[in-house]
């Protein structure tokens, strides 16, 4: 097991299911992604660079694409979501769409490949 599996194992069933779906979609786009930690959170990495982090807060769930440019790239698809420079917040009642998750993964990989 890796850091992401360990973290997901601590979550309630609904949250775990939502995060598992996001991980599954990211792994479809980036099969070489690995489970690690980054900036103190469970994360997927690609080529030893942070790809996507996961975190639960009291009022929401968050993913961290580790790139303000990636958040900006999907901002137009997320009008009802709480976004910050490097964070996308959502809830079980308003989860991220599969297409947006795939777009986040593709954008992040392209950014990693350029560096």
């Amino acid at each position: 097991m890796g850091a992401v599996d360990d973290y997901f194992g601590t979550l309630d069933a609904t949250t775990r299911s939502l995060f598992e779906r996001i991980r599954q979609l990211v792994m479809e786009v980036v099969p070489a992604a690995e489970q690690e930690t980054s900036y103190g959170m469970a994360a997927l990495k690609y080529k030893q660079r942070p790809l996507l982090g996961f975190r639960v807060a009291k009022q929401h769930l968050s993913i961290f694409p580790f790139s303000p440019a990636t958040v900006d790239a999907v901002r137009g698809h997320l009008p009802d979501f709480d976004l910050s420079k490097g964070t996308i917040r959502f809830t079980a009642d308003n989860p991220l769409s599969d297409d947006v998750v795939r777009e986040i993964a593709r954008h992040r990989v392209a950014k990693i490949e350029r560096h």
Side-chain angles (χ1 to χ4, degrees):
M1 288 184 46
V4 175
D5 286 329
D6 292 345
Y7 182 63
F8 287 4
T10 68
L11 305 175
D12 66 76
T14 300
T15 301
R16 185 172 46 252
S17 176
L18 287 167
F19 277 168
E20 287 283 1
R21 180 67 182 152
I22 291 169
R23 175 172 57 177
Q24 175 187 1
L25 293 165
V26 171
M27 295 302 292
E28 287 173 9
V29 174
V30 193
E34 298 177 344
Q35 295 187 57
E36 301 279 343
T37 57
S38 188
Y39 298 97
M41 71 183 85
L44 297 174
K45 284 188 172 182
Y46 174 66
K47 294 190 174 185
Q48 298 303 309
R49 304 234 7 235
L51 178 67
L52 189 73
F54 302 88
R55 180 162 292 156
V56 175
K58 261 189 175 176
Q59 301 297 318
H60 61 268
L61 309 175
S62 299
I63 59 168
F64 297 79
F66 303 106
S67 165
T70 299
V71 174
D72 286 342
V74 298
R75 186 176 298 279
H77 301 292
L78 300 170
D80 298 327
F81 291 83
D82 182 18
L83 309 175
S84 68
K85 185 175 175 181
T87 310
I88 299 170
R89 296 174 193 89
F90 59 99
T91 64
D93 293 333
N94 190 21
L96 300 172
S97 75
D98 291 359
D99 289 340
V100 167
V101 172
R102 287 185 191 104
E103 186 175 343
I104 291 166
R106 284 191 294 269
H107 191 276
R108 189 70 186 114
V109 165
K111 186 165 178 58
I112 291 169
E113 291 287 349
R114 285 192 299 273
H115 290 91

